Structure formats: C-alpha cells, structure tokens
Amino acid sequence: MKLIIVFLIFLTIIFFLVRYKPRVVLPVTVTVNEVPRVFAKLKANGADGAFATFAFLPDNAQGGEDAVNIQFSVENGRIGLDWVLEGPTNIRDQEKINVFMRGEGFMPERREVNDVAYWRVEKGDLAALCQKIIREVYHKPSDMPLEFIYEGFRWP
C-alpha cells in the first residue's frame, strides 16, 4: 500500500513539473527565400491580428535597436505588407522605402493603429515586394537568415 501511495505522489510531482514548467521560446529564423512560403501560410491560415515579422540588421547598424523590421499582417480580413514606423531605421528609411515601393508600382497607404503609424500595401505580389526590399534596398542575399516572429498561424 505504501508503495502505491509513493508511486502516486511521484506521478503527481512529475505531472506538475511537466505541465507547469516554464516554456523556453527559441529564436526562429527563415531565409529571404522562404518569405513567399511564410506569406502563403499566413494568407491561408491567418485571421485578423495575425502577423509575420522579419528583422535584420542593415550594414551600418550599431546594435539591435537599429534592426529593420518588415511584416505581413492581416487587417479586416486582408493581408498586407507593413513598414511599421517604430525603431530608428524604419523611421529614418520610410521615405526611401516609399519611393522604392512606388517605383515598383505599389501604392503605400499611411495608417495608424493604437498610436503606431505604418505604411501598408495590400495589392500586388507582396511576397516579392518584401524580398525586393530586403535584397535590393538593403543588399542582403537570398539565403540570409532573418529573425522571424509570428502569431496567429502555425509555422512551418
């Protein structure tokens, strides 16, 4: 009988350790080449509020706060490419990005949600535009890993 009680206590302890242990979130990366796959997955499975953010350091970066951030998000049932005006590089480069997008035939629209301003494009090949910004504006290779943060859909 004592053996059964000890065994049940042991199982209870194991259950709580497994169930309530702190979860460690490992950094996720994707390459520039994988951007279209991420876009397709978000478009197929993401609801309003879902997003996929890519971050990388430009060549002249002094530290992590200088990272470029570009994202896809779902807003009002529509997927779009966002240039969020947070962080010094995104703020500094907004005109350069707008000129580039317009030169590629896209019409960015300025929006603001929850006191955060951003430029958004919803029409056209958004995955290709995102890749072009990374490759042609920031001169990053197609196989370069990007920091990848996502919510509202499963990856991979």
Side-chain angles (χ1 to χ4, degrees):
M1 182 70 163
K2 286 183 179 180
L3 187 57
I4 292 173
I5 293 172
V6 170
F7 182 71
L8 289 175
I9 291 171
F10 176 74
L11 284 178
T12 303
I13 291 170
I14 295 297
F15 171 78
F16 281 103
L17 287 175
V18 169
R19 181 163 172 85
Y20 296 107
K21 74 175 182 177
R23 290 194 170 101
V24 176
V25 178
L26 298 175
V28 177
T29 61
V30 295
T31 65
V32 178
N33 283 332
E34 292 177 289
V35 166
R37 283 185 48 224
V38 172
F39 178 84
K41 192 90 163 173
L42 176 60
K43 185 175 182 178
N45 300 303
D48 279 357
F51 65 87
T53 301
F54 309 102
F56 59 92
L57 291 174
D59 291 337
N60 59 352
Q62 299 297 317
E65 66 276 355
D66 291 334
V68 171
N69 291 284
I70 189 167
Q71 73 177 22
F72 299 121
S73 68
V74 179
E75 241 180 59
N76 299 317
R78 296 182 55 93
I79 193 167
L81 177 66
D82 306 319
W83 186 262
V84 180
L85 298 176
E86 290 209 344
T89 304
N90 278 47
I91 293 168
R92 181 193 70 223
D93 291 352
Q94 68 179 305
E95 186 60 32
K96 174 171 51 173
I97 296 303
N98 268 295
V99 167
F100 182 82
M101 288 193 283
R102 290 179 194 282
E104 294 293 316
F106 294 87
M107 298 304 296
E109 176 183 314
R110 187 174 169 110
R111 296 188 183 176
E112 188 170 319
V113 173
N114 298 329
D115 296 322
V116 176
Y118 58 100
W119 292 96
R120 184 172 177 87
V121 176
E122 292 183 341
K123 295 179 181 172
D125 189 345
L126 303 179
L129 176 60
C130 182
Q131 287 178 301
K132 281 185 163 193
I133 289 170
I134 296 168
R135 286 192 287 227
E136 295 177 24
V137 176
Y138 291 98
H139 311 290
K140 299 300 180 183
S142 296
D143 60 350
M144 185 186 86
L146 306 168
E147 285 188 38
F148 178 51
I149 301 166
Y150 62 97
E151 186 171 304
F153 69 103
R154 293 178 68 112
W155 180 260

